[in-house]
Amino acid sequence: DTAVSQTPKYLVTQMGNDKSIKCEQNLGHDTMYWYKQDSKKFLKIMFSYNNKELIINETVPNRFSPKSPDKAHLNLHINSLELGDSAVYFCASSPEGRRGEQFFGPGTRLTVL
Amino acid sequence: SQQGEEDPQALSIQEGENATMNCSYKTSINNLQWYRQNSGRGLVHLILIRSNEREKHSGRLRVTLDTSKKSSSLLITASRAADTASYFCATYQGGSEKLVFGKGTKLTVNP
């Protein structure tokens, strides 16, 4: 059983398009995250939601908008895609308040042409 | 801002040898974690060491933490080709829920 799943795994699109990445976790965790990993493998947090409430919002262009329909899902919508958005995006989850380990999804490789 | 810095950036060893990776961080922490990332995959949590612990073991992994030097090391003993991956340390920055990762060490274990 997949604990944290993301779709799609690969996403190739043209500059200027709008796209979404979906994430679901079946671990019963209260907190979910989006990370961006660049070509140098540097991993940086973008957003975090706790029980559908936004708790971390890093300096990310407002073209990126997270949406949490329920605590098991955290989707990432990106408007007006730019070349620099090309990266691997990871979703993760953790139990609330533990500041413990995080469980990562397999990643979505976004390529903007 | 980046919290952890691993070194070396890359490490290549023979199967059976031990691999040691180091991590330094800047602010106070309540725990430090190590993650592994196989090529093309997501990160997998390996081990968490709390700030009041000095050493922790898990299978072939040994982690040490020196809070006075703000540093940690990950030792993988008797390495295997399957240990080939990137290894990241991560800490929660200050009092926040934000987990900050280092740049990682790319380990290659040659059969």
Side-chain angles (χ1 to χ4, degrees), chain A residues 47-90:
Chain A
F47 301 103
S48 174
Y49 268 74
N50 180 270
N51 207 8
K52 302 199 299 174
E53 182 184 344
L54 183 66
I55 57 170
I56 295 174
N57 185 354
E58 285 297 282
T59 310
V60 174
N62 58 14
R63 299 181 294 102
F64 289 79
S65 54
K67 285 186 171 53
S68 181
D70 56 60
K71 75 173 196 178
H73 295 84
L74 181 63
N75 303 323
L76 183 64
H77 189 77
I78 315 170
N79 288 328
S80 304
L81 278 155
E82 300 177 356
L83 294 176
D85 297 333
S86 294
V88 182
Y89 292 84
F90 288 98

